[in-house]
Amino acid sequence: MKKILLTIAINLFLIPVFAQETKEEPIKLKGVEVENDYHKNISWIKSKPIPLVSKDFTVSPYSVTYIQIYFGMYVKDGKQYMTPIRLVNRYKDSEWIFFDEVSYLLGSRKEVKAGKGVVFKVVDDETDKDVNKGISEHSDILANENAISFIKYVLNNETGLNIRYTNTRENKYVEIDVPDGTKKLQKHFKTLIDYYNMFNEKFKLNQEF
């Protein structure tokens, strides 16, 4: 698997994952990442991982708690396809939570205290676990109705954000107050969704987000 930061042009018509032998101008993608899986002949287009904690990022943002959305592009039987959006939640700390639910509380501090915050929840019973310079728990799900509603709310609202990672089996959780609220999420979600909708229109896939 090869990861390419898309500060360069990607020609969606000449690489084998995308369609065909059409000579068109390369589509230049910026502000996203691409992973080309040549074994499965698919390209994953991803938003940049958005760190959810204040930290001096002298290392990759992948090394901390983050959120990310992405989708795939591939060709089958000469026809272009695009996968639905997927949502990634990654939690990293020194102790396990074994979360199977993520809850997003959005709103200003005043709204939240008044009970007027907006909450979206997603569930994943198959969260991956890893130990590498700390504990990492990683959820990667197909965006269901709740996840889609969360993404759309972020796209339309710059506000505060508190995220709760819950182990519903043991009734325990941890919470993170995201320092910039939805500001960075909004920026990177929008970039990814704009490309998703652009490809949808270009290839007439009837999958607008």
Side-chain angles (χ1 to χ4, degrees):
M1 184 177 287
K2 183 178 180 183
K3 182 181 289 184
I4 305 173
L5 293 179
L6 285 186
T7 53
I8 62 175
I10 298 295
N11 190 328
L12 300 186
F13 298 92
L14 298 183
I15 63 176
V17 175
F18 298 102
Q20 326 258 342
E21 301 172 354
T22 309
K23 292 184 178 179
E24 295 192 15
E25 289 296 317
I27 297 175
K28 296 180 180 180
L29 306 181
K30 295 181 179 180
V32 293
E33 300 179 353
V34 162
E35 292 181 5
N36 290 322
D37 187 336
Y38 296 108
H39 286 266
K40 296 182 178 179
N41 221 26
I42 187 168
S43 285
W44 299 107
I45 301 173
K46 303 183 175 186
S47 68
K48 290 185 177 180
I50 301 102
L52 303 178
V53 294
S54 295
K55 196 165 185 174
D56 177 15
F57 293 107
T58 56
V59 293
S60 167
Y62 283 103
S63 67
V64 298
T65 300
Y66 68 82
I67 290 180
Q68 187 175 45
I69 57 175
Y70 71 99
F71 64 95
M73 299 287 293
Y74 64 98
V75 172
K76 183 177 180 181
D77 298 329
K79 185 177 180 180
Q80 184 73 59
Y81 290 90
M82 180 168 65
T83 72
I85 296 291
R86 296 188 68 88
L87 171 66
V88 172
N89 284 281
R90 199 243 194 170
Y91 171 77
K92 188 175 178 68
D93 206 343
S94 58
E95 296 183 1
W96 294 109
I97 292 297
F98 299 114
F99 75 82
D100 55 2
E101 178 185 276
V102 183
S103 177
Y104 312 96
L105 172 60
L106 298 109
S108 67
R109 185 170 298 180
K110 182 178 180 180
E111 289 171 332
V112 170
K113 285 186 176 180
K116 296 180 180 180
V118 179
V119 177
F120 301 98
K121 294 181 181 181
V122 296
V123 174
D124 186 359
D125 293 324
E126 299 181 356
T127 302
D128 293 329
K129 291 89 176 174
D130 188 27
V131 178
N132 183 12
K133 297 180 180 180
I135 287 168
S136 175
E137 302 180 33
H138 184 270
S139 168
D140 183 335
I141 64 168
L142 182 67
N144 57 20
E145 183 178 353
N146 286 340
I148 290 172
S149 296
F150 163 65
I151 294 167
K152 288 184 175 181
Y153 193 90
V154 169
L155 291 173
N156 293 310
N157 297 274
E158 185 175 322
T159 188
L161 174 61
N162 174 276
I163 301 181
R164 175 180 290 183
Y165 303 86
T166 301
N167 178 337
T168 61
R169 299 172 297 273
E170 299 180 17
N171 194 30
K172 64 179 183 179
Y173 62 85
V174 293
E175 291 185 358
I176 292 178
D177 282 315
V178 181
D180 294 318
T182 60
K183 184 177 181 179
K184 291 182 179 178
L185 284 174
Q186 188 180 69
K187 174 185 175 181
H188 293 296
F189 279 12
K190 183 178 187 305
T191 300
L192 193 282
I193 297 300
D194 282 349
Y195 283 130
Y196 183 89
N197 287 333
M198 181 187 73
F199 292 140
N200 170 71
E201 182 177 353
K202 185 174 186 65
F203 297 113
K204 298 178 173 59
L205 300 174
N206 195 30
Q207 291 179 228
E208 184 176 8
F209 185 83

